[in-house]
Amino acid sequence: MRVGEVWLGDLVRALVALRAGGDPVDAGLAGRVRRMLDLDVSPAPGEPAPRLRAVPVDPPGRPAAGPDPLRAPTPAPDPAPSRAAPAGGGGQVVQRLWTDPPHRPWQTARVLPRADARAVVPVPHTPLFRPRATAAIVHEMCARALPDGDVDVDRLVAALARQHPVTGLPLRTRRTLRFGVHLVLDRGEAMYPFHADQRHLGEVVREVVGRDVTKTTVVVDTPRNVRAGERLPEPGRPVVVVSGFGIRSGTARVADWQRYAAALRDRGSPPVALVPFPRHRLPGWLCALMPVVVWDRDTTARAVRVGVGRWP
């Protein structure tokens, strides 16, 4: 390592100032000044003398044949990492910094123990619907509105006041789960992040509707890849289609879903789409095909009832 000229100038100025002040400048005082300026090149007790390397300087007008003399020499390659602490005390380490490779604190750092797989705590699954509203939302999606409630007295009085013939008692509309539900779960690539949510939704649907009247069909991106016997539910059974409908990838099979929805209506099975994307990303063809429920924490049971109730 070359000693900077500025440091040598500082040493000369310090010695001249001491001499001008009348203080005797002996070898001991000069050594103390050199150590204060970090210019003490004397070896520490028990250490060999430092190895100084001469840097050749080419004469003016001649191209440099070797490394630039104004630059510091290239440091030696790093030695193999070691976990042992460097030998010697603090003063010895400071004196070796300019001759040996730079001090590397990571060589003496404590190695952290490996993580034990048995100590890793799994992160609990957070469903997309709010836990307190999930059962009510599932009820609104899977229920069918049928006129099988109590007698609608208001409609009966209005018919009698207009002198209309009464052929039967008008009944109030009631939403019922007696028809069960048919789940269509899309396991395509776009729905891969939502597989855990699909499993959780299936469990909630079985608890709310009933395990005996809940059927499940698994498709991949399109309902065409399922056999005809498994693709269509029983007549009159509501269908909840949990799919991305190609919204994320832009490869929607519009014709396949249109034929599937038409076949469901012919069997009296009203479909409802459950999509894990915000409403502004829903395509127009899907909103015109069936009621769409956004699978998110902001969805409420009242919003699902209003959205599904708009469809006949």
Side-chain angles (χ1 to χ4, degrees):
M1 179 177 178
R2 300 176 58 192
V3 179
E5 297 179 358
V6 178
W7 289 0
L8 291 178
D10 294 339
L11 176 60
V12 172
R13 283 195 294 271
L15 296 178
V16 171
L18 291 174
R19 188 173 181 179
D23 296 336
V25 181
D26 52 1
L29 182 59
R32 291 175 58 188
V33 173
R34 287 197 305 271
R35 285 192 294 271
M36 292 176 61
L37 296 177
D38 200 12
L39 296 176
D40 189 8
V41 297
S42 59
E47 286 192 347
R51 301 180 301 275
L52 299 180
R53 185 167 62 89
V55 179
V57 180
D58 295 335
R62 229 178 125 183
D68 188 359
L70 298 180
R71 295 182 180 177
T74 304
D78 295 348
S82 175
R83 298 181 182 178
Q92 298 178 3
V93 174
V94 173
Q95 291 183 0
R96 288 201 308 268
L97 288 180
W98 69 280
T99 56
D100 296 343
H103 180 60
R104 297 169 183 82
W106 59 84
Q107 293 183 4
T108 60
R110 181 174 60 88
V111 179
L112 297 178
R114 290 182 175 272
D116 189 1
R118 295 173 298 180
V120 177
V121 179
V123 179
H125 173 255
T126 303
L128 294 179
F129 286 144
R130 289 181 301 170
R132 295 183 179 180
T134 302
I137 293 175
V138 169
H139 184 277
E140 297 298 336
M141 286 193 304
C142 303
R144 288 193 58 179
L146 297 177
D148 61 351
D150 299 333
V151 177
D152 193 346
V153 179
D154 296 337
R155 291 173 54 190
L156 180 60
V157 171
L160 294 175
R162 294 184 179 91
Q163 298 182 356
H164 292 170
V166 179
T167 58
L169 294 178
L171 302 178
R172 295 184 181 274
T173 302
R174 185 173 62 92
R175 302 184 64 83
T176 177
L177 296 174
R178 68 183 184 183
F179 295 95
V181 66
H182 190 94
L183 287 177
V184 179
L185 303 180
D186 185 1
R187 294 298 177 89
E189 183 179 359
M191 294 295 293
Y192 178 78
F194 307 100
H195 284 184
D197 298 283
Q198 289 181 352
R199 289 192 296 268
H200 178 264
L201 178 67
E203 291 297 328
V204 175
V205 170
R206 293 181 185 93
E207 293 177 0
V208 174
V209 181
R211 296 185 179 274
D212 297 336
V213 291
T214 300
K215 305 299 179 182
T216 303
T217 297
V218 176
V219 301
V220 179
D221 297 329
T222 173
R224 190 175 54 181
N225 57 7
V226 183
R227 291 177 298 183
E230 298 179 357
R231 182 171 53 189
L232 297 178
E234 298 179 3
R237 175 165 292 181
V239 178
V240 177
V241 182
V242 185
S243 175
F245 295 95
I247 297 175
R248 183 177 180 183
S249 58
T251 57
R253 306 292 182 88
V254 180
D256 293 346
W257 289 112
Q258 288 177 346
R259 287 192 294 266
Y260 185 64
L264 292 178
R265 290 195 176 88
D266 292 341
R267 300 171 67 88
S269 300
V272 176
L274 183 61
V275 183
F277 297 106
R279 186 164 296 278
H280 68 272
R281 294 188 58 182
L282 300 180
W285 66 266
L286 179 60
C287 297
L289 194 61
M290 64 183 73
V292 181
V293 177
V294 177
W295 201 1
D296 201 357
R297 300 187 68 84
D298 296 338
T299 303
T300 60
R302 184 177 182 277
V304 174
R305 172 179 290 187
V306 173
V308 176
R310 293 175 181 174
W311 288 76

